Coordinates of all heavy atoms in Angstrom, one line a residue:
M1 N -116.9 68.2 180.5 CA -118.2 68.6 181.1 C -118.3 70.2 180.9 O -117.5 70.9 181.3 CB -118.2 68.3 182.5 CG -119.5 68.8 183.2 SD -119.5 68.1 184.9 CE -120.7 69.3 185.6
T2 N -119.4 70.6 180.3 CA -119.7 72.0 180.0 C -120.5 72.6 181.1 O -121.5 72.0 181.6 CB -120.4 72.2 178.7 OG1 -119.7 71.6 177.7 CG2 -120.6 73.6 178.4
M3 N -120.1 73.7 181.6 CA -120.8 74.4 182.6 C -121.2 75.8 182.1 O -120.5 76.4 181.4 CB -120.0 74.6 183.9 CG -119.7 73.3 184.6 SD -119.4 73.6 186.3 CE -118.5 72.1 186.7
M4 N -122.4 76.2 182.6 CA -122.9 77.6 182.2 C -122.2 78.6 183.1 O -122.0 78.4 184.3 CB -124.4 77.7 182.4 CG -125.2 76.9 181.5 SD -126.9 77.0 181.9 CE -127.5 77.7 180.3
T5 N -121.8 79.7 182.6 CA -121.4 80.8 183.3 C -122.4 81.9 183.3 O -122.9 82.3 182.3 CB -120.1 81.4 182.7 OG1 -119.1 80.4 182.7 CG2 -119.6 82.6 183.6
M6 N -122.9 82.2 184.5 CA -124.0 83.1 184.6 C -123.9 84.2 185.7 O -123.2 84.0 186.7 CB -125.3 82.4 184.9 CG -125.7 81.4 183.9 SD -127.3 80.7 184.2 CE -126.9 79.9 185.8
T7 N -124.5 85.3 185.4 CA -124.7 86.4 186.5 C -126.2 86.6 186.5 O -127.0 86.0 185.7 CB -124.0 87.7 186.1 OG1 -124.6 88.2 185.0 CG2 -122.5 87.4 185.8
K8 N -126.6 87.5 187.4 CA -128.0 87.9 187.5 C -128.6 88.4 186.2 O -129.7 88.3 185.9 CB -128.3 88.9 188.6 CG -128.1 88.3 190.0 CD -128.4 89.3 191.1 CE -128.2 88.7 192.5 NZ -128.9 87.5 192.7
N9 N -127.7 89.0 185.4 CA -128.1 89.6 184.1 C -128.0 88.7 182.9 O -128.3 89.1 181.8 CB -127.4 91.0 183.9 CG -127.8 92.0 184.8 OD1 -129.0 92.2 185.0 ND2 -126.9 92.7 185.4
T10 N -127.5 87.5 183.1 CA -127.4 86.6 182.0 C -128.8 86.2 181.5 O -129.7 85.9 182.3 CB -126.6 85.3 182.5 OG1 -125.3 85.7 182.9 CG2 -126.5 84.3 181.4
T11 N -128.9 86.2 180.2 CA -130.2 85.7 179.6 C -130.1 84.2 179.5 O -129.2 83.6 179.0 CB -130.4 86.3 178.2 OG1 -130.4 87.7 178.3 CG2 -131.6 85.7 177.6
I12 N -131.2 83.6 180.1 CA -131.3 82.1 180.0 C -132.5 81.8 179.1 O -133.4 82.6 178.9 CB -131.5 81.5 181.4 CG1 -132.8 82.0 182.1 CG2 -130.3 81.8 182.3 CD1 -133.2 81.4 183.4
S13 N -132.5 80.6 178.6 CA -133.6 80.2 177.7 C -134.2 78.9 178.1 O -133.4 78.0 178.6 CB -133.2 80.2 176.3 OG -132.1 79.3 176.1
C14 N -135.5 78.7 177.9 CA -136.1 77.5 178.2 C -135.6 76.3 177.3 O -135.5 76.5 176.1 CB -137.6 77.6 178.1 SG -138.6 76.1 178.4
S15 N -135.4 75.2 177.9 CA -134.9 74.1 177.1 C -135.9 73.5 176.2 O -135.6 72.7 175.3 CB -134.4 73.0 178.1 OG -133.3 73.4 178.8
R16 N -137.2 73.8 176.5 CA -138.3 73.2 175.7 C -138.9 74.2 174.7 O -139.0 73.8 173.5 CB -139.4 72.7 176.6 CG -138.9 71.6 177.5 CD -139.9 71.0 178.4 NE -139.3 69.9 179.2 CZ -139.8 69.4 180.3 NH1 -141.0 69.8 180.7 NH2 -139.2 68.5 181.0
C17 N -139.2 75.4 175.1 CA -139.9 76.3 174.1 C -139.0 77.5 173.7 O -139.3 78.3 172.8 CB -141.2 76.9 174.7 SG -140.8 78.1 176.1
R18 N -137.8 77.5 174.2 CA -136.7 78.5 173.9 C -137.1 79.9 174.3 O -136.4 80.9 173.9 CB -136.5 78.5 172.3 CG -136.0 77.1 171.8 CD -134.7 76.8 172.4 NE -134.4 75.3 172.1 CZ -133.4 74.7 172.7 NH1 -132.6 75.3 173.6 NH2 -133.2 73.4 172.4
R19 N -138.1 80.1 175.1 CA -138.4 81.4 175.7 C -137.2 81.9 176.5 O -136.6 81.1 177.2 CB -139.7 81.3 176.5 CG -140.3 82.6 177.0 CD -141.5 82.3 177.8 NE -141.5 82.9 179.1 CZ -142.3 82.6 180.1 NH1 -143.1 81.5 180.0 NH2 -142.2 83.2 181.2
K20 N -137.0 83.2 176.5 CA -135.8 83.7 177.2 C -136.2 84.6 178.3 O -137.3 85.3 178.3 CB -134.9 84.5 176.2 CG -134.2 83.6 175.2 CD -133.4 84.4 174.2 CE -132.4 83.6 173.5 NZ -133.0 82.5 172.8
T21 N -135.4 84.7 179.3 CA -135.6 85.6 180.4 C -134.2 85.9 181.0 O -133.3 85.2 180.8 CB -136.6 85.1 181.5 OG1 -136.9 86.2 182.3 CG2 -136.0 84.0 182.3
K22 N -134.2 87.0 181.8 CA -133.0 87.2 182.6 C -132.9 86.3 183.8 O -134.0 86.0 184.4 CB -133.0 88.7 183.1 CG -132.9 89.7 182.0 CD -131.5 89.9 181.5 CE -131.5 91.1 180.5 NZ -130.2 91.3 180.0
F23 N -131.8 85.9 184.2 CA -131.6 85.0 185.3 C -132.3 85.6 186.6 O -132.9 84.9 187.3 CB -130.1 84.7 185.5 CG -129.9 83.7 186.7 CD1 -130.5 82.4 186.6 CD2 -129.1 84.0 187.7 CE1 -130.3 81.5 187.6 CE2 -128.9 83.1 188.7 CZ -129.5 81.8 188.7
K24 N -132.1 86.9 186.8 CA -132.6 87.5 188.0 C -134.2 87.6 188.0 O -134.8 87.8 189.0 CB -132.1 88.9 188.1 CG -132.5 89.9 187.1 CD -131.8 91.3 187.3 CE -132.1 92.2 186.1 NZ -131.4 93.5 186.2
R25 N -134.8 87.3 186.8 CA -136.2 87.3 186.7 C -136.8 85.9 186.6 O -137.9 85.7 186.2 CB -136.7 88.1 185.5 CG -136.4 89.6 185.7 CD -137.3 90.4 184.8 NE -136.8 91.8 184.5 CZ -136.3 92.2 183.4 NH1 -136.3 91.4 182.4 NH2 -135.8 93.4 183.3
S26 N -136.0 84.9 186.9 CA -136.3 83.5 186.5 C -137.0 82.8 187.7 O -137.1 81.6 187.7 CB -135.1 82.7 186.1 OG -134.2 82.6 187.2
T27 N -137.6 83.6 188.6 CA -138.4 83.0 189.7 C -139.5 82.0 189.1 O -140.2 82.5 188.2 CB -139.1 84.0 190.5 OG1 -138.1 84.9 191.0 CG2 -139.8 83.4 191.7
G28 N -139.5 80.8 189.6 CA -140.6 79.9 189.1 C -140.0 79.0 188.0 O -140.6 78.0 187.7
W29 N -138.9 79.4 187.4 CA -138.3 78.5 186.4 C -137.6 77.4 187.1 O -137.2 77.5 188.3 CB -137.2 79.3 185.6 CG -137.8 80.2 184.6 CD1 -138.8 81.2 184.8 CD2 -137.5 80.3 183.2 NE1 -139.0 81.8 183.6 CE2 -138.3 81.3 182.6 CE3 -136.6 79.6 182.4 CZ2 -138.2 81.6 181.3 CZ3 -136.5 79.9 181.0 CH2 -137.3 80.9 180.5
N30 N -137.5 76.2 186.4 CA -136.9 75.1 187.1 C -135.5 74.9 186.4 O -135.4 74.8 185.2 CB -137.8 73.8 186.8 CG -137.6 72.8 187.9 OD1 -136.9 73.0 188.9 ND2 -138.3 71.7 187.7
A31 N -134.5 74.8 187.3 CA -133.2 74.6 186.8 C -132.9 73.1 186.8 O -133.2 72.4 187.8 CB -132.2 75.4 187.7
A32 N -132.2 72.7 185.8 CA -131.8 71.3 185.8 C -130.3 71.2 186.2 O -129.5 72.0 185.7 CB -132.0 70.7 184.4
F33 N -130.0 70.4 187.1 CA -128.6 70.3 187.6 C -127.9 69.0 187.2 O -128.5 67.9 187.2 CB -128.6 70.4 189.1 CG -129.2 71.7 189.6 CD1 -130.5 71.8 190.1 CD2 -128.4 72.8 189.6 CE1 -131.0 73.0 190.6 CE2 -128.9 74.0 190.1 CZ -130.2 74.1 190.6
I34 N -126.7 69.1 186.9 CA -125.8 68.0 186.7 C -124.6 68.1 187.6 O -123.9 69.1 187.5 CB -125.4 67.8 185.2 CG1 -126.6 67.6 184.3 CG2 -124.4 66.7 185.1 CD1 -126.2 67.6 182.8
Q35 N -124.5 67.3 188.6 CA -123.5 67.3 189.6 C -123.4 68.7 190.2 O -122.3 69.2 190.4 CB -122.1 66.9 188.9 CG -122.1 65.5 188.4 CD -120.8 65.1 187.8 OE1 -120.0 65.9 187.5 NE2 -120.7 63.8 187.5
G36 N -124.5 69.3 190.5 CA -124.5 70.5 191.3 C -124.4 71.8 190.4 O -124.5 72.9 190.9
A37 N -124.1 71.6 189.1 CA -123.9 72.8 188.3 C -125.2 72.9 187.4 O -125.8 71.9 187.0 CB -122.7 72.6 187.3
V38 N -125.6 74.1 187.1 CA -126.8 74.3 186.3 C -126.6 73.9 184.9 O -125.7 74.4 184.2 CB -127.2 75.8 186.4 CG1 -128.5 76.0 185.5 CG2 -127.5 76.2 187.8
A39 N -127.4 73.0 184.4 CA -127.3 72.5 183.0 C -128.3 73.0 182.1 O -128.2 72.9 180.9 CB -127.3 71.0 183.1
G40 N -129.4 73.6 182.6 CA -130.5 74.0 181.7 C -131.7 74.5 182.5 O -131.7 74.4 183.8
F41 N -132.7 75.1 181.8 CA -133.8 75.7 182.5 C -135.1 75.3 181.8 O -135.1 75.1 180.6 CB -133.7 77.2 182.5 CG -132.6 77.7 183.3 CD1 -131.3 77.9 182.7 CD2 -132.7 77.9 184.7 CE1 -130.2 78.3 183.5 CE2 -131.6 78.4 185.4 CZ -130.4 78.6 184.8
I42 N -136.2 75.2 182.6 CA -137.5 75.0 182.0 C -138.4 76.1 182.6 O -138.5 76.3 183.8 CB -138.0 73.6 182.4 CG1 -137.0 72.5 182.0 CG2 -139.4 73.3 181.9 CD1 -137.3 71.1 182.6
C43 N -139.1 76.8 181.7 CA -140.0 77.9 182.1 C -141.2 77.4 182.8 O -141.6 76.2 182.6 CB -140.3 78.8 180.9 SG -141.5 78.1 179.8
P44 N -141.9 78.2 183.6 CA -143.1 77.7 184.3 C -144.2 77.2 183.3 O -144.9 76.2 183.7 CB -143.6 79.0 185.0 CG -142.4 79.8 185.2 CD -141.6 79.6 183.9
T45 N -144.3 77.7 182.1 CA -145.3 77.2 181.2 C -145.0 75.8 180.7 O -146.0 75.0 180.5 CB -145.3 78.2 179.9 OG1 -145.5 79.5 180.4 CG2 -146.4 77.8 179.0
C46 N -143.8 75.4 180.6 CA -143.4 74.1 180.1 C -143.3 73.1 181.2 O -143.2 71.9 180.9 CB -142.1 74.2 179.4 SG -142.2 75.1 177.8
Q47 N -143.3 73.5 182.5 CA -143.2 72.6 183.5 C -144.4 71.7 183.7 O -145.5 72.2 183.7 CB -142.9 73.3 184.9 CG -141.5 73.9 184.9 CD -141.3 74.8 186.1 OE1 -142.0 74.7 187.1 NE2 -140.4 75.8 186.0
T48 N -144.2 70.5 184.0 CA -145.3 69.6 184.4 C -145.6 69.9 185.9 O -144.8 70.5 186.6 CB -144.9 68.1 184.3 OG1 -143.9 67.9 185.3 CG2 -144.4 67.8 182.9
P49 N -146.8 69.6 186.4 CA -147.1 69.8 187.8 C -146.1 69.3 188.7 O -145.7 69.9 189.7 CB -148.5 69.1 188.0 CG -149.1 69.2 186.6 CD -147.9 69.0 185.6
E50 N -145.5 68.1 188.4 CA -144.5 67.5 189.2 C -143.2 68.4 189.2 O -142.6 68.6 190.2 CB -144.1 66.1 188.7 CG -145.2 65.1 188.9 CD -146.3 65.2 187.9 OE1 -146.1 65.9 186.9 OE2 -147.3 64.5 188.1
E51 N -142.9 68.9 188.0 CA -141.7 69.7 188.0 C -141.9 71.1 188.7 O -141.0 71.6 189.2 CB -141.3 70.0 186.5 CG -140.7 68.7 185.8 CD -140.6 68.9 184.3 OE1 -141.3 69.7 183.7 OE2 -139.7 68.2 183.8
N52 N -143.1 71.6 188.6 CA -143.4 72.8 189.2 C -143.3 72.7 190.7 O -142.7 73.6 191.4 CB -144.9 73.2 188.9 CG -145.1 74.7 189.2 OD1 -144.2 75.5 189.3 ND2 -146.4 75.1 189.4
A53 N -143.7 71.6 191.3 CA -143.6 71.3 192.7 C -142.1 71.2 193.1 O -141.7 71.7 194.1 CB -144.3 70.1 193.1
E54 N -141.3 70.6 192.2 CA -139.9 70.4 192.4 C -139.2 71.8 192.4 O -138.4 72.1 193.3 CB -139.3 69.6 191.3 CG -137.8 69.2 191.6 CD -137.2 68.5 190.4 OE1 -137.9 67.6 189.8 OE2 -136.1 68.9 190.0
A55 N -139.7 72.7 191.6 CA -139.1 74.1 191.5 C -139.3 74.8 192.8 O -138.5 75.5 193.3 CB -139.6 74.8 190.3
E56 N -140.5 74.6 193.3 CA -140.9 75.3 194.6 C -140.1 74.8 195.7 O -139.6 75.5 196.6 CB -142.4 75.2 194.9 CG -143.2 76.1 193.9 CD -144.7 76.0 194.2 OE1 -145.1 75.5 195.2 OE2 -145.4 76.5 193.3
I57 N -139.9 73.5 195.7 CA -139.0 72.8 196.7 C -137.6 73.3 196.6 O -137.0 73.7 197.6 CB -139.1 71.3 196.6 CG1 -140.5 70.8 197.0 CG2 -138.0 70.6 197.5 CD1 -140.8 69.4 196.7
N58 N -137.1 73.4 195.4 CA -135.7 73.9 195.2 C -135.6 75.3 195.7 O -134.6 75.7 196.3 CB -135.4 73.8 193.7 CG -135.1 72.4 193.2 OD1 -134.9 71.5 194.1 ND2 -135.0 72.2 191.9
E59 N -136.6 76.2 195.4 CA -136.5 77.5 195.9 C -136.5 77.6 197.4 O -135.8 78.5 197.9 CB -137.7 78.4 195.3 CG -137.4 78.9 194.0 CD -138.6 79.7 193.4 OE1 -139.3 80.3 194.2 OE2 -138.8 79.6 192.2
A60 N -137.1 76.7 198.0 CA -137.2 76.7 199.5 C -135.9 76.1 200.1 O -135.6 76.5 201.3 CB -138.4 76.0 199.9
T61 N -135.3 75.3 199.4 CA -134.2 74.6 200.0 C -132.8 74.8 199.4 O -131.8 74.5 200.0 CB -134.4 73.0 200.0 OG1 -134.5 72.7 198.6 CG2 -135.7 72.6 200.7
L62 N -132.7 75.4 198.3 CA -131.4 75.6 197.6 C -131.0 77.1 197.7 O -131.8 78.0 197.5 CB -131.5 75.2 196.2 CG -131.7 73.7 195.9 CD1 -131.7 73.4 194.4 CD2 -130.6 72.9 196.6
T63 N -129.7 77.3 197.8 CA -129.1 78.6 197.7 C -128.2 78.7 196.5 O -127.4 77.8 196.2 CB -128.3 78.9 198.9 OG1 -129.1 78.9 200.1 CG2 -127.6 80.3 198.8
Y64 N -128.4 79.7 195.6 CA -127.6 79.8 194.5 C -126.4 80.8 194.8 O -126.6 81.8 195.4 CB -128.4 80.4 193.3 CG -129.5 79.5 192.8 CD1 -130.8 79.7 193.3 CD2 -129.2 78.5 192.0 CE1 -131.8 78.9 192.9 CE2 -130.3 77.7 191.6 CZ -131.5 77.9 192.0 OH -132.6 77.0 191.6
K65 N -125.3 80.4 194.3 CA -124.1 81.3 194.5 C -123.2 81.2 193.3 O -123.3 80.2 192.6 CB -123.4 81.0 195.8 CG -122.7 79.6 195.7 CD -121.9 79.4 197.0 CE -121.2 78.0 196.9 NZ -120.4 77.7 198.1
I66 N -122.4 82.2 193.1 CA -121.4 82.2 192.0 C -120.1 81.8 192.6 O -119.6 82.4 193.6 CB -121.3 83.6 191.4 CG1 -122.7 84.2 191.0 CG2 -120.4 83.6 190.2 CD1 -123.4 83.5 189.9
D67 N -119.5 80.8 192.0 CA -118.2 80.4 192.6 C -117.1 81.2 192.0 O -117.3 82.1 191.2 CB -118.0 78.9 192.4 CG -117.7 78.5 191.0 OD1 -117.5 79.4 190.1 OD2 -117.6 77.3 190.7
A68 N -115.8 80.9 192.4 CA -114.7 81.6 191.9 C -114.4 81.6 190.4 O -113.7 82.5 189.9 CB -113.4 81.1 192.6
F69 N -115.1 80.7 189.7 CA -114.9 80.6 188.3 C -116.1 81.2 187.5 O -116.2 81.1 186.3 CB -114.8 79.1 187.9 CG -113.6 78.4 188.5 CD1 -113.8 77.7 189.7 CD2 -112.3 78.6 188.1 CE1 -112.7 77.0 190.3 CE2 -111.2 78.0 188.7 CZ -111.4 77.3 189.8
G70 N -117.0 81.9 188.3 CA -118.1 82.5 187.6 C -119.3 81.6 187.3 O -120.2 81.9 186.6
R71 N -119.2 80.4 187.9 CA -120.2 79.4 187.7 C -121.3 79.5 188.7 O -121.0 79.9 189.9 CB -119.7 78.0 187.7 CG -118.6 77.7 186.7 CD -118.0 76.3 186.8 NE -117.5 76.1 188.1 CZ -116.5 75.2 188.4 NH1 -116.0 74.5 187.5 NH2 -116.1 75.0 189.6
T72 N -122.5 79.3 188.3 CA -123.6 79.3 189.3 C -123.8 77.9 189.9 O -123.9 76.9 189.2 CB -124.9 79.7 188.7 OG1 -124.8 81.0 188.1 CG2 -126.1 79.7 189.7
I73 N -123.6 77.9 191.2 CA -123.7 76.6 192.0 C -124.9 76.6 192.9 O -125.2 77.6 193.5 CB -122.4 76.4 192.8 CG1 -121.2 76.5 191.9 CG2 -122.4 75.1 193.6 CD1 -121.0 75.4 190.9
A74 N -125.6 75.5 193.0 CA -126.7 75.4 193.9 C -126.3 74.6 195.1 O -125.7 73.5 194.9 CB -127.9 74.8 193.2
T75 N -126.5 75.1 196.3 CA -126.2 74.4 197.5 C -127.4 74.3 198.3 O -128.3 75.2 198.3 CB -125.0 75.0 198.2 OG1 -125.4 76.4 198.5 CG2 -123.7 75.0 197.5
T76 N -127.5 73.3 199.1 CA -128.6 73.1 200.0 C -128.4 74.1 201.2 O -127.3 74.2 201.7 CB -128.7 71.7 200.5 OG1 -128.8 70.8 199.4 CG2 -129.9 71.5 201.4
K77 N -129.5 74.8 201.5 CA -129.4 75.8 202.6 C -129.0 75.0 203.9 O -129.5 74.0 204.2 CB -130.8 76.5 202.8 CG -131.0 77.5 201.8 CD -132.4 78.2 202.0 CE -132.6 79.2 200.9 NZ -134.0 79.6 200.8
G78 N -128.0 75.6 204.6 CA -127.6 75.1 205.8 C -126.4 74.1 205.7 O -125.8 73.7 206.6
A79 N -126.1 73.7 204.4 CA -125.0 72.8 204.2 C -123.7 73.6 204.3 O -123.5 74.7 203.9 CB -125.1 72.2 202.8
S80 N -122.7 73.0 205.0 CA -121.4 73.7 205.2 C -120.5 73.5 203.9 O -119.6 74.3 203.8 CB -120.7 73.1 206.4 OG -120.5 71.7 206.3
A81 N -120.8 72.6 203.1 CA -119.9 72.4 201.9 C -120.4 73.3 200.8 O -119.8 73.5 199.8 CB -120.0 70.9 201.4
Ligands
LIG1 ZN1 -140.7 76.9 178.1

C-alpha cells in the first residue's frame, strides 16, 4: 500500500485536472482517503456538489496530523485513537 508523505509545503495535484497547489493552501480541496491515509485530492473546480459538501463536512469534523513516519493522517475530532 502506497502512502503519500506530505508537509504543509508539499505540492499536491488534483486527481482530475492535474491542477497543483500547496497543501497549506488546499482549503476547499477534497482529500480521498484509503484506510485513514490520504490517497489523492480533488480541487474545488472538479468537485461535484455532493463532494463539495463532503469536503466541508470533513473540514468541520476531521483533524489532519503528521504521524511519526511523515504521513498525513486524518482523524475525527474528539477521537482518542
Ligand atoms: Zn481539478
Side-chain angles (χ1 to χ4, degrees):
M1 173 176 163
T2 302
M3 292 205 200
M4 289 179 122
T5 301
M6 296 187 301
T7 68
K8 288 184 184 302
N9 288 314
T10 298
T11 299
I12 61 173
S13 59
C14 175
S15 297
R16 293 183 186 164
C17 72
R18 301 296 168 192
R19 190 175 128 202
K20 289 178 166 55
T21 192
K22 297 278 191 183
F23 183 57
K24 65 184 175 186
R25 294 201 198 109
S26 66
T27 303
W29 285 51
N30 208 1
F33 297 100
I34 297 176
Q35 296 179 352
V38 177
F41 295 90
I42 302 167
C43 75
T45 306
C46 291
Q47 287 169 27
T48 65
E50 290 79 12
E51 287 170 337
N52 197 22
E54 185 187 316
E56 289 182 11
I57 292 167
N58 284 346
E59 272 178 35
T61 58
L62 293 179
T63 299
Y64 297 95
K65 66 177 183 180
I66 310 293
D67 75 5
F69 302 99
R71 301 177 302 204
T72 298
I73 303 295
T75 56
T76 304
K77 283 176 183 170
S80 58

